[in-house]
Amino acid sequence: MHNGFEGLAKGQVQEVGWHDVAGWLGHGGSMLVTKRTLPKGYLESIVENICTYSIHALLAIGGFEAYKGVLQLVEAHRRYEELHHHVLGFDTALNATMERCDHIKQSASGTKRRVFIMETMGGYCGYLATVTSIAVGADAAYIFEDPFNIHDLKANVEHMMEKMKMDMQRGLVLRNEKCHDHYTTEFLYNLYSSESKAVFDCRTNVLGHLQQHHIPTPSDRNYGTKLGVKAMLWVLEKLHEVYRKRRVFANAPHSACVISLKKAVAFSPITELKKDTDLEHCMQREQWWLSLQPMLKMLAHYCISMTA
C-alpha cells in the first residue's frame, strides 16, 4: 500500500513482483512512500478496500504510529468483521545519529575548548540520545525518562569546565527533542555559554531529519530481511489455522501481534502490550535501556554511586 493506512483507504494498492522491487535493498527509507496518518478516520474506506482487494493479512512496518494504527484496527474488530486479520509491526533505528555525532567530533578534532550541544529526534523516548551518547562518548544526555533540574545542569557545566583543564578539551552533549518543556536546546546553549565563564565556547546542532532516510548498513539489511521472513511465515501459518470455508476469521488476541527481538524473536499480542504502553508519550512504561544511564555517567567520569 502506498502512503500507509491513508493509501489503503484511498485504494492505492499495488501487487508487486520480484522485478518491481529490484534494487530496493540498497536504498534507505521506503520506496512505497509512507505517511503517519492513523486509520481511525478512514475505517469505512479501509474496510471497503480490504474487501475489494481480498486482503486477508496486513504487515505493518514502522515506528509508534504503526503500533497505534494496528491497535486502532484491533479495537475496531467488534464493528467490522473484515478487520479480523493478522497485523505485525517492527522498527529499528540508530546508526545515522551515531554517524552524525562522529562527523561533528571529527570536524572539531582541531578545535580546543568547544562544546557541541546536539538535539536528537525520538519524541519523548530518550533511547536514541542515551545509546548514542554511550557509543560516541558524550558527556551527558538529557532525556524525558530521567528528570533533571537546574542544579543538575549546573553540575554538568562545572564537570565540563573541569574536563577542559585536561587533554581532551572538547565536549559533546545530547538532548532528546522532548526531554523538557522549558530546557530547550537554545536554553542549554545559553546556559553553557554563560556559565562557562569563557573557559569554552558552544555550538548547537539539531539533527532533525538527518537521522532519517539513511542508507541501511549490511547488518540492518540482514536483520530486516530475517524479521520480514519470520513475519510472513508467521502470517501464513496463522492464516492456515483460521481459514474456514474460503474465509479468514481471526478474532483471538494473537491475531494481531508485534514482532520484536527480546532474548529471541517473539510475537507479542498487541492487546497485551497496550497495558504496558504510555500512549500519551508514545513509549513503553518500563524502558530496559534506562539501566544504561549509569554507564554513560561512568564513561564521562562522573562520581556516582552504584549501590541500589
Side-chain angles (χ1 to χ4, degrees), residues 156-191:
N156 293 150
V157 175
E158 292 174 348
H159 182 269
M160 191 70 73
M161 293 178 68
E162 290 298 318
K163 177 182 178 180
M164 294 300 168
K165 297 177 183 179
M166 304 178 185
D167 295 334
M168 185 64 69
Q169 295 183 339
R170 64 179 185 271
L172 177 63
V173 174
L174 271 70
R175 175 192 177 274
N176 190 56
E177 60 179 340
K178 292 186 178 180
C179 65
H180 201 283
D181 291 335
H182 305 294
Y183 298 150
T184 62
T185 300
E186 182 180 2
F187 178 92
L188 293 180
Y189 167 77
N190 292 330
L191 177 69

PDB file of all heavy atoms in Angstrom, residues 156-191:
ATOM      1  N   ASN A 156      26.581  19.670  35.532  1.00  0.00           N
ATOM      2  CA  ASN A 156      27.129  19.261  34.235  1.00  0.00           C
ATOM      3  C   ASN A 156      28.081  20.306  33.680  1.00  0.00           C
ATOM      4  O   ASN A 156      29.130  19.965  33.112  1.00  0.00           O
ATOM      5  CB  ASN A 156      25.999  19.017  33.236  1.00  0.00           C
ATOM      6  CG  ASN A 156      25.136  17.819  33.587  1.00  0.00           C
ATOM      7  OD1 ASN A 156      23.960  17.777  33.278  1.00  0.00           O
ATOM      8  ND2 ASN A 156      25.718  16.824  34.268  1.00  0.00           N
ATOM      9  N   VAL A 157      27.724  21.572  33.813  1.00  0.00           N
ATOM     10  CA  VAL A 157      28.592  22.647  33.328  1.00  0.00           C
ATOM     11  C   VAL A 157      29.906  22.666  34.108  1.00  0.00           C
ATOM     12  O   VAL A 157      30.998  22.798  33.526  1.00  0.00           O
ATOM     13  CB  VAL A 157      27.888  24.016  33.439  1.00  0.00           C
ATOM     14  CG1 VAL A 157      28.848  25.145  33.055  1.00  0.00           C
ATOM     15  CG2 VAL A 157      26.657  24.059  32.553  1.00  0.00           C
ATOM     16  N   GLU A 158      29.818  22.522  35.417  1.00  0.00           N
ATOM     17  CA  GLU A 158      31.031  22.516  36.247  1.00  0.00           C
ATOM     18  C   GLU A 158      31.918  21.322  35.896  1.00  0.00           C
ATOM     19  O   GLU A 158      33.152  21.443  35.860  1.00  0.00           O
ATOM     20  CB  GLU A 158      30.634  22.476  37.721  1.00  0.00           C
ATOM     21  CG  GLU A 158      29.962  23.764  38.191  1.00  0.00           C
ATOM     22  CD  GLU A 158      29.440  23.655  39.609  1.00  0.00           C
ATOM     23  OE1 GLU A 158      29.401  22.514  40.144  1.00  0.00           O
ATOM     24  OE2 GLU A 158      29.052  24.687  40.179  1.00  0.00           O
ATOM     25  N   HIS A 159      31.287  20.170  35.629  1.00  0.00           N
ATOM     26  CA  HIS A 159      32.051  18.987  35.218  1.00  0.00           C
ATOM     27  C   HIS A 159      32.749  19.237  33.891  1.00  0.00           C
ATOM     28  O   HIS A 159      33.901  18.827  33.683  1.00  0.00           O
ATOM     29  CB  HIS A 159      31.108  17.790  35.112  1.00  0.00           C
ATOM     30  CG  HIS A 159      31.811  16.514  34.747  1.00  0.00           C
ATOM     31  ND1 HIS A 159      31.980  16.103  33.446  1.00  0.00           N
ATOM     32  CD2 HIS A 159      32.403  15.567  35.522  1.00  0.00           C
ATOM     33  CE1 HIS A 159      32.635  14.958  33.434  1.00  0.00           C
ATOM     34  NE2 HIS A 159      32.903  14.606  34.667  1.00  0.00           N
ATOM     35  N   MET A 160      32.070  19.935  32.991  1.00  0.00           N
ATOM     36  CA  MET A 160      32.657  20.239  31.687  1.00  0.00           C
ATOM     37  C   MET A 160      33.845  21.181  31.834  1.00  0.00           C
ATOM     38  O   MET A 160      34.864  21.043  31.132  1.00  0.00           O
ATOM     39  CB  MET A 160      31.599  20.866  30.781  1.00  0.00           C
ATOM     40  CG  MET A 160      32.002  20.985  29.328  1.00  0.00           C
ATOM     41  SD  MET A 160      32.089  19.375  28.492  1.00  0.00           S
ATOM     42  CE  MET A 160      30.334  18.997  28.359  1.00  0.00           C
ATOM     43  N   MET A 161      33.731  22.128  32.745  1.00  0.00           N
ATOM     44  CA  MET A 161      34.847  23.067  32.962  1.00  0.00           C
ATOM     45  C   MET A 161      36.079  22.343  33.502  1.00  0.00           C
ATOM     46  O   MET A 161      37.212  22.653  33.123  1.00  0.00           O
ATOM     47  CB  MET A 161      34.399  24.171  33.919  1.00  0.00           C
ATOM     48  CG  MET A 161      33.328  25.093  33.323  1.00  0.00           C
ATOM     49  SD  MET A 161      32.766  26.354  34.481  1.00  0.00           S
ATOM     50  CE  MET A 161      34.233  27.375  34.621  1.00  0.00           C
ATOM     51  N   GLU A 162      35.874  21.360  34.358  1.00  0.00           N
ATOM     52  CA  GLU A 162      36.992  20.575  34.871  1.00  0.00           C
ATOM     53  C   GLU A 162      37.620  19.746  33.760  1.00  0.00           C
ATOM     54  O   GLU A 162      38.843  19.574  33.701  1.00  0.00           O
ATOM     55  CB  GLU A 162      36.511  19.658  35.999  1.00  0.00           C
ATOM     56  CG  GLU A 162      36.133  20.391  37.272  1.00  0.00           C
ATOM     57  CD  GLU A 162      37.318  21.137  37.870  1.00  0.00           C
ATOM     58  OE1 GLU A 162      38.433  20.559  37.895  1.00  0.00           O
ATOM     59  OE2 GLU A 162      37.142  22.281  38.300  1.00  0.00           O
ATOM     60  N   LYS A 163      36.774  19.242  32.860  1.00  0.00           N
ATOM     61  CA  LYS A 163      37.269  18.436  31.748  1.00  0.00           C
ATOM     62  C   LYS A 163      38.178  19.257  30.839  1.00  0.00           C
ATOM     63  O   LYS A 163      39.169  18.751  30.301  1.00  0.00           O
ATOM     64  CB  LYS A 163      36.091  17.874  30.953  1.00  0.00           C
ATOM     65  CG  LYS A 163      36.511  17.072  29.725  1.00  0.00           C
ATOM     66  CD  LYS A 163      35.316  16.587  28.939  1.00  0.00           C
ATOM     67  CE  LYS A 163      35.753  15.827  27.696  1.00  0.00           C
ATOM     68  NZ  LYS A 163      34.606  15.335  26.900  1.00  0.00           N
ATOM     69  N   MET A 164      37.834  20.535  30.655  1.00  0.00           N
ATOM     70  CA  MET A 164      38.601  21.391  29.762  1.00  0.00           C
ATOM     71  C   MET A 164      40.022  21.658  30.267  1.00  0.00           C
ATOM     72  O   MET A 164      40.877  22.126  29.522  1.00  0.00           O
ATOM     73  CB  MET A 164      37.870  22.718  29.551  1.00  0.00           C
ATOM     74  CG  MET A 164      36.561  22.575  28.800  1.00  0.00           C
ATOM     75  SD  MET A 164      36.792  21.872  27.155  1.00  0.00           S
ATOM     76  CE  MET A 164      35.099  21.512  26.697  1.00  0.00           C
ATOM     77  N   LYS A 165      40.261  21.369  31.532  1.00  0.00           N
ATOM     78  CA  LYS A 165      41.602  21.555  32.081  1.00  0.00           C
ATOM     79  C   LYS A 165      42.513  20.385  31.739  1.00  0.00           C
ATOM     80  O   LYS A 165      43.723  20.453  31.966  1.00  0.00           O
ATOM     81  CB  LYS A 165      41.519  21.707  33.608  1.00  0.00           C
ATOM     82  CG  LYS A 165      40.727  22.931  34.055  1.00  0.00           C
ATOM     83  CD  LYS A 165      40.621  22.969  35.568  1.00  0.00           C
ATOM     84  CE  LYS A 165      39.775  24.150  36.038  1.00  0.00           C
ATOM     85  NZ  LYS A 165      39.642  24.186  37.516  1.00  0.00           N
ATOM     86  N   MET A 166      41.924  19.316  31.206  1.00  0.00           N
ATOM     87  CA  MET A 166      42.694  18.123  30.847  1.00  0.00           C
ATOM     88  C   MET A 166      43.033  18.125  29.365  1.00  0.00           C
ATOM     89  O   MET A 166      42.856  19.124  28.678  1.00  0.00           O
ATOM     90  CB  MET A 166      41.892  16.871  31.227  1.00  0.00           C
ATOM     91  CG  MET A 166      41.494  16.819  32.697  1.00  0.00           C
ATOM     92  SD  MET A 166      40.495  15.372  33.088  1.00  0.00           S
ATOM     93  CE  MET A 166      40.082  15.705  34.803  1.00  0.00           C
ATOM     94  N   ASP A 167      43.538  16.986  28.870  1.00  0.00           N
ATOM     95  CA  ASP A 167      43.981  16.906  27.484  1.00  0.00           C
ATOM     96  C   ASP A 167      42.817  16.971  26.497  1.00  0.00           C
ATOM     97  O   ASP A 167      42.934  17.577  25.437  1.00  0.00           O
ATOM     98  CB  ASP A 167      44.779  15.607  27.265  1.00  0.00           C
ATOM     99  CG  ASP A 167      46.072  15.595  28.063  1.00  0.00           C
ATOM    100  OD1 ASP A 167      46.583  16.692  28.363  1.00  0.00           O
ATOM    101  OD2 ASP A 167      46.557  14.494  28.378  1.00  0.00           O
ATOM    102  N   MET A 168      41.706  16.299  26.806  1.00  0.00           N
ATOM    103  CA  MET A 168      40.552  16.269  25.912  1.00  0.00           C
ATOM    104  C   MET A 168      39.734  17.544  26.093  1.00  0.00           C
ATOM    105  O   MET A 168      38.833  17.620  26.920  1.00  0.00           O
ATOM    106  CB  MET A 168      39.677  15.039  26.202  1.00  0.00           C
ATOM    107  CG  MET A 168      38.513  14.875  25.224  1.00  0.00           C
ATOM    108  SD  MET A 168      39.027  14.575  23.518  1.00  0.00           S
ATOM    109  CE  MET A 168      39.714  12.924  23.657  1.00  0.00           C
ATOM    110  N   GLN A 169      40.039  18.564  25.314  1.00  0.00           N
ATOM    111  CA  GLN A 169      39.425  19.872  25.510  1.00  0.00           C
ATOM    112  C   GLN A 169      38.269  20.123  24.537  1.00  0.00           C
ATOM    113  O   GLN A 169      38.180  21.158  23.875  1.00  0.00           O
ATOM    114  CB  GLN A 169      40.480  20.963  25.380  1.00  0.00           C
ATOM    115  CG  GLN A 169      41.537  20.881  26.477  1.00  0.00           C
ATOM    116  CD  GLN A 169      42.537  22.021  26.393  1.00  0.00           C
ATOM    117  OE1 GLN A 169      42.705  22.638  25.352  1.00  0.00           O
ATOM    118  NE2 GLN A 169      43.200  22.302  27.492  1.00  0.00           N
ATOM    119  N   ARG A 170      37.368  19.166  24.469  1.00  0.00           N
ATOM    120  CA  ARG A 170      36.131  19.352  23.726  1.00  0.00           C
ATOM    121  C   ARG A 170      35.063  18.452  24.335  1.00  0.00           C
ATOM    122  O   ARG A 170      35.383  17.449  24.977  1.00  0.00           O
ATOM    123  CB  ARG A 170      36.312  19.050  22.235  1.00  0.00           C
ATOM    124  CG  ARG A 170      36.668  17.618  21.905  1.00  0.00           C
ATOM    125  CD  ARG A 170      36.796  17.434  20.393  1.00  0.00           C
ATOM    126  NE  ARG A 170      37.026  16.044  20.040  1.00  0.00           N
ATOM    127  CZ  ARG A 170      38.201  15.472  19.949  1.00  0.00           C
ATOM    128  NH1 ARG A 170      39.294  16.194  20.211  1.00  0.00           N
ATOM    129  NH2 ARG A 170      38.325  14.205  19.613  1.00  0.00           N
ATOM    130  N   GLY A 171      33.814  18.838  24.152  1.00  0.00           N
ATOM    131  CA  GLY A 171      32.739  18.092  24.776  1.00  0.00           C
ATOM    132  C   GLY A 171      31.548  17.917  23.850  1.00  0.00           C
ATOM    133  O   GLY A 171      31.385  18.648  22.868  1.00  0.00           O
ATOM    134  N   LEU A 172      30.720  16.935  24.177  1.00  0.00           N
ATOM    135  CA  LEU A 172      29.525  16.651  23.383  1.00  0.00           C
ATOM    136  C   LEU A 172      28.375  16.347  24.335  1.00  0.00           C
ATOM    137  O   LEU A 172      28.484  15.491  25.213  1.00  0.00           O
ATOM    138  CB  LEU A 172      29.768  15.452  22.460  1.00  0.00           C
ATOM    139  CG  LEU A 172      28.586  14.989  21.608  1.00  0.00           C
ATOM    140  CD1 LEU A 172      28.170  16.082  20.626  1.00  0.00           C
ATOM    141  CD2 LEU A 172      28.942  13.704  20.855  1.00  0.00           C
ATOM    142  N   VAL A 173      27.276  17.067  24.166  1.00  0.00           N
ATOM    143  CA  VAL A 173      26.084  16.889  24.993  1.00  0.00           C
ATOM    144  C   VAL A 173      24.907  16.607  24.070  1.00  0.00           C
ATOM    145  O   VAL A 173      24.703  17.322  23.083  1.00  0.00           O
ATOM    146  CB  VAL A 173      25.804  18.145  25.844  1.00  0.00           C
ATOM    147  CG1 VAL A 173      24.477  18.011  26.582  1.00  0.00           C
ATOM    148  CG2 VAL A 173      26.943  18.384  26.821  1.00  0.00           C
ATOM    149  N   LEU A 174      24.128  15.575  24.384  1.00  0.00           N
ATOM    150  CA  LEU A 174      22.956  15.244  23.574  1.00  0.00           C
ATOM    151  C   LEU A 174      21.681  15.560  24.350  1.00  0.00           C
ATOM    152  O   LEU A 174      21.603  15.319  25.559  1.00  0.00           O
ATOM    153  CB  LEU A 174      22.954  13.768  23.166  1.00  0.00           C
ATOM    154  CG  LEU A 174      23.673  13.443  21.850  1.00  0.00           C
ATOM    155  CD1 LEU A 174      25.181  13.608  21.997  1.00  0.00           C
ATOM    156  CD2 LEU A 174      23.352  12.035  21.391  1.00  0.00           C
ATOM    157  N   ARG A 175      20.704  16.066  23.644  1.00  0.00           N
ATOM    158  CA  ARG A 175      19.408  16.402  24.239  1.00  0.00           C
ATOM    159  C   ARG A 175      18.305  15.823  23.377  1.00  0.00           C
ATOM    160  O   ARG A 175      18.237  16.098  22.184  1.00  0.00           O
ATOM    161  CB  ARG A 175      19.243  17.923  24.339  1.00  0.00           C
ATOM    162  CG  ARG A 175      17.873  18.349  24.832  1.00  0.00           C
ATOM    163  CD  ARG A 175      17.630  19.834  24.660  1.00  0.00           C
ATOM    164  NE  ARG A 175      16.279  20.173  25.081  1.00  0.00           N
ATOM    165  CZ  ARG A 175      15.209  20.095  24.294  1.00  0.00           C
ATOM    166  NH1 ARG A 175      15.337  19.693  23.037  1.00  0.00           N
ATOM    167  NH2 ARG A 175      14.010  20.403  24.760  1.00  0.00           N
ATOM    168  N   ASN A 176      17.440  15.003  23.977  1.00  0.00           N
ATOM    169  CA  ASN A 176      16.294  14.494  23.247  1.00  0.00           C
ATOM    170  C   ASN A 176      15.283  15.615  23.030  1.00  0.00           C
ATOM    171  O   ASN A 176      15.091  16.469  23.894  1.00  0.00           O
ATOM    172  CB  ASN A 176      15.645  13.344  24.017  1.00  0.00           C
ATOM    173  CG  ASN A 176      14.617  12.627  23.189  1.00  0.00           C
ATOM    174  OD1 ASN A 176      14.908  12.144  22.110  1.00  0.00           O
ATOM    175  ND2 ASN A 176      13.382  12.592  23.667  1.00  0.00           N
ATOM    176  N   GLU A 177      14.624  15.633  21.883  1.00  0.00           N
ATOM    177  CA  GLU A 177      13.826  16.776  21.476  1.00  0.00           C
ATOM    178  C   GLU A 177      12.711  17.151  22.449  1.00  0.00           C
ATOM    179  O   GLU A 177      12.350  18.320  22.551  1.00  0.00           O
ATOM    180  CB  GLU A 177      13.223  16.535  20.089  1.00  0.00           C
ATOM    181  CG  GLU A 177      12.315  15.325  19.985  1.00  0.00           C
ATOM    182  CD  GLU A 177      11.728  15.168  18.588  1.00  0.00           C
ATOM    183  OE1 GLU A 177      11.717  16.152  17.839  1.00  0.00           O
ATOM    184  OE2 GLU A 177      11.288  14.054  18.253  1.00  0.00           O
ATOM    185  N   LYS A 178      12.148  16.186  23.180  1.00  0.00           N
ATOM    186  CA  LYS A 178      11.063  16.490  24.109  1.00  0.00           C
ATOM    187  C   LYS A 178      11.427  16.118  25.541  1.00  0.00           C
ATOM    188  O   LYS A 178      10.568  15.735  26.329  1.00  0.00           O
ATOM    189  CB  LYS A 178       9.780  15.770  23.683  1.00  0.00           C
ATOM    190  CG  LYS A 178       9.197  16.299  22.382  1.00  0.00           C
ATOM    191  CD  LYS A 178       7.845  15.671  22.070  1.00  0.00           C
ATOM    192  CE  LYS A 178       7.254  16.248  20.790  1.00  0.00           C
ATOM    193  NZ  LYS A 178       5.934  15.659  20.465  1.00  0.00           N
ATOM    194  N   CYS A 179      12.692  16.277  25.879  1.00  0.00           N
ATOM    195  CA  CYS A 179      13.135  15.900  27.218  1.00  0.00           C
ATOM    196  C   CYS A 179      12.601  16.850  28.282  1.00  0.00           C
ATOM    197  O   CYS A 179      12.433  16.465  29.436  1.00  0.00           O
ATOM    198  CB  CYS A 179      14.659  15.831  27.284  1.00  0.00           C
ATOM    199  SG  CYS A 179      15.483  17.414  27.046  1.00  0.00           S
ATOM    200  N   HIS A 180      12.330  18.104  27.896  1.00  0.00           N
ATOM    201  CA  HIS A 180      11.834  19.091  28.867  1.00  0.00           C
ATOM    202  C   HIS A 180      11.119  20.208  28.120  1.00  0.00           C
ATOM    203  O   HIS A 180      11.538  20.623  27.035  1.00  0.00           O
ATOM    204  CB  HIS A 180      12.998  19.662  29.679  1.00  0.00           C
ATOM    205  CG  HIS A 180      12.596  20.270  30.979  1.00  0.00           C
ATOM    206  ND1 HIS A 180      12.001  21.519  31.067  1.00  0.00           N
ATOM    207  CD2 HIS A 180      12.683  19.817  32.262  1.00  0.00           C
ATOM    208  CE1 HIS A 180      11.757  21.809  32.337  1.00  0.00           C
ATOM    209  NE2 HIS A 180      12.152  20.781  33.078  1.00  0.00           N
ATOM    210  N   ASP A 181      10.041  20.702  28.726  1.00  0.00           N
ATOM    211  CA  ASP A 181       9.259  21.756  28.072  1.00  0.00           C
ATOM    212  C   ASP A 181       9.997  23.087  28.032  1.00  0.00           C
ATOM    213  O   ASP A 181       9.813  23.881  27.107  1.00  0.00           O
ATOM    214  CB  ASP A 181       7.919  21.956  28.800  1.00  0.00           C
ATOM    215  CG  ASP A 181       6.987  20.777  28.613  1.00  0.00           C
ATOM    216  OD1 ASP A 181       7.146  20.060  27.598  1.00  0.00           O
ATOM    217  OD2 ASP A 181       6.110  20.554  29.478  1.00  0.00           O
ATOM    218  N   HIS A 182      10.822  23.353  29.038  1.00  0.00           N
ATOM    219  CA  HIS A 182      11.449  24.668  29.161  1.00  0.00           C
ATOM    220  C   HIS A 182      12.957  24.656  28.885  1.00  0.00           C
ATOM    221  O   HIS A 182      13.505  25.636  28.382  1.00  0.00           O
ATOM    222  CB  HIS A 182      11.189  25.242  30.557  1.00  0.00           C
ATOM    223  CG  HIS A 182       9.737  25.305  30.911  1.00  0.00           C
ATOM    224  ND1 HIS A 182       8.844  26.120  30.252  1.00  0.00           N
ATOM    225  CD2 HIS A 182       9.014  24.619  31.846  1.00  0.00           C
ATOM    226  CE1 HIS A 182       7.635  25.964  30.766  1.00  0.00           C
ATOM    227  NE2 HIS A 182       7.709  25.052  31.724  1.00  0.00           N
ATOM    228  N   TYR A 183      13.623  23.555  29.226  1.00  0.00           N
ATOM    229  CA  TYR A 183      15.064  23.470  28.996  1.00  0.00           C
ATOM    230  C   TYR A 183      15.310  23.021  27.557  1.00  0.00           C
ATOM    231  O   TYR A 183      15.651  21.877  27.277  1.00  0.00           O
ATOM    232  CB  TYR A 183      15.721  22.518  29.991  1.00  0.00           C
ATOM    233  CG  TYR A 183      15.572  22.961  31.434  1.00  0.00           C
ATOM    234  CD1 TYR A 183      15.524  22.044  32.468  1.00  0.00           C
ATOM    235  CD2 TYR A 183      15.481  24.317  31.751  1.00  0.00           C
ATOM    236  CE1 TYR A 183      15.396  22.448  33.794  1.00  0.00           C
ATOM    237  CE2 TYR A 183      15.347  24.730  33.066  1.00  0.00           C
ATOM    238  CZ  TYR A 183      15.299  23.800  34.082  1.00  0.00           C
ATOM    239  OH  TYR A 183      15.165  24.221  35.384  1.00  0.00           O
ATOM    240  N   THR A 184      15.118  23.947  26.642  1.00  0.00           N
ATOM    241  CA  THR A 184      15.256  23.672  25.216  1.00  0.00           C
ATOM    242  C   THR A 184      16.729  23.653  24.815  1.00  0.00           C
ATOM    243  O   THR A 184      17.617  23.973  25.620  1.00  0.00           O
ATOM    244  CB  THR A 184      14.519  24.738  24.404  1.00  0.00           C
ATOM    245  OG1 THR A 184      15.124  26.022  24.663  1.00  0.00           O
ATOM    246  CG2 THR A 184      13.038  24.798  24.788  1.00  0.00           C
ATOM    247  N   THR A 185      16.976  23.322  23.559  1.00  0.00           N
ATOM    248  CA  THR A 185      18.350  23.340  23.054  1.00  0.00           C
ATOM    249  C   THR A 185      18.940  24.744  23.129  1.00  0.00           C
ATOM    250  O   THR A 185      20.108  24.926  23.495  1.00  0.00           O
ATOM    251  CB  THR A 185      18.377  22.835  21.597  1.00  0.00           C
ATOM    252  OG1 THR A 185      17.860  21.499  21.548  1.00  0.00           O
ATOM    253  CG2 THR A 185      19.799  22.834  21.043  1.00  0.00           C
ATOM    254  N   GLU A 186      18.128  25.736  22.814  1.00  0.00           N
ATOM    255  CA  GLU A 186      18.596  27.128  22.888  1.00  0.00           C
ATOM    256  C   GLU A 186      18.911  27.511  24.331  1.00  0.00           C
ATOM    257  O   GLU A 186      19.901  28.202  24.595  1.00  0.00           O
ATOM    258  CB  GLU A 186      17.531  28.062  22.316  1.00  0.00           C
ATOM    259  CG  GLU A 186      17.955  29.518  22.300  1.00  0.00           C
ATOM    260  CD  GLU A 186      16.890  30.433  21.721  1.00  0.00           C
ATOM    261  OE1 GLU A 186      15.794  29.927  21.373  1.00  0.00           O
ATOM    262  OE2 GLU A 186      17.137  31.650  21.631  1.00  0.00           O
ATOM    263  N   PHE A 187      18.060  27.050  25.266  1.00  0.00           N
ATOM    264  CA  PHE A 187      18.309  27.345  26.681  1.00  0.00           C
ATOM    265  C   PHE A 187      19.626  26.731  27.126  1.00  0.00           C
ATOM    266  O   PHE A 187      20.429  27.376  27.820  1.00  0.00           O
ATOM    267  CB  PHE A 187      17.158  26.807  27.526  1.00  0.00           C
ATOM    268  CG  PHE A 187      17.345  27.018  29.006  1.00  0.00           C
ATOM    269  CD1 PHE A 187      16.838  28.152  29.629  1.00  0.00           C
ATOM    270  CD2 PHE A 187      18.033  26.087  29.782  1.00  0.00           C
ATOM    271  CE1 PHE A 187      17.012  28.351  30.990  1.00  0.00           C
ATOM    272  CE2 PHE A 187      18.215  26.280  31.143  1.00  0.00           C
ATOM    273  CZ  PHE A 187      17.700  27.414  31.748  1.00  0.00           C
ATOM    274  N   LEU A 188      19.859  25.457  26.758  1.00  0.00           N
ATOM    275  CA  LEU A 188      21.102  24.799  27.143  1.00  0.00           C
ATOM    276  C   LEU A 188      22.312  25.511  26.563  1.00  0.00           C
ATOM    277  O   LEU A 188      23.347  25.658  27.229  1.00  0.00           O
ATOM    278  CB  LEU A 188      21.084  23.335  26.692  1.00  0.00           C
ATOM    279  CG  LEU A 188      20.076  22.415  27.385  1.00  0.00           C
ATOM    280  CD1 LEU A 188      20.174  21.008  26.821  1.00  0.00           C
ATOM    281  CD2 LEU A 188      20.283  22.398  28.892  1.00  0.00           C
ATOM    282  N   TYR A 189      22.180  25.962  25.313  1.00  0.00           N
ATOM    283  CA  TYR A 189      23.280  26.700  24.684  1.00  0.00           C
ATOM    284  C   TYR A 189      23.592  27.976  25.478  1.00  0.00           C
ATOM    285  O   TYR A 189      24.764  28.264  25.777  1.00  0.00           O
ATOM    286  CB  TYR A 189      22.907  27.048  23.249  1.00  0.00           C
ATOM    287  CG  TYR A 189      23.826  28.068  22.606  1.00  0.00           C
ATOM    288  CD1 TYR A 189      25.087  27.702  22.148  1.00  0.00           C
ATOM    289  CD2 TYR A 189      23.439  29.402  22.491  1.00  0.00           C
ATOM    290  CE1 TYR A 189      25.942  28.634  21.577  1.00  0.00           C
ATOM    291  CE2 TYR A 189      24.279  30.341  21.921  1.00  0.00           C
ATOM    292  CZ  TYR A 189      25.532  29.955  21.469  1.00  0.00           C
ATOM    293  OH  TYR A 189      26.372  30.895  20.915  1.00  0.00           O
ATOM    294  N   ASN A 190      22.550  28.730  25.825  1.00  0.00           N
ATOM    295  CA  ASN A 190      22.759  29.968  26.574  1.00  0.00           C
ATOM    296  C   ASN A 190      23.316  29.695  27.958  1.00  0.00           C
ATOM    297  O   ASN A 190      24.188  30.425  28.449  1.00  0.00           O
ATOM    298  CB  ASN A 190      21.434  30.735  26.689  1.00  0.00           C
ATOM    299  CG  ASN A 190      20.959  31.282  25.355  1.00  0.00           C
ATOM    300  OD1 ASN A 190      21.769  31.603  24.490  1.00  0.00           O
ATOM    301  ND2 ASN A 190      19.658  31.386  25.188  1.00  0.00           N
ATOM    302  N   LEU A 191      22.835  28.623  28.612  1.00  0.00           N
ATOM    303  CA  LEU A 191      23.312  28.292  29.952  1.00  0.00           C
ATOM    304  C   LEU A 191      24.778  27.889  29.930  1.00  0.00           C
ATOM    305  O   LEU A 191      25.592  28.410  30.716  1.00  0.00           O
ATOM    306  CB  LEU A 191      22.467  27.157  30.540  1.00  0.00           C
ATOM    307  CG  LEU A 191      22.890  26.661  31.922  1.00  0.00           C
ATOM    308  CD1 LEU A 191      22.617  27.737  32.969  1.00  0.00           C
ATOM    309  CD2 LEU A 191      22.164  25.374  32.288  1.00  0.00           C
TER     310      LEU A 191
END
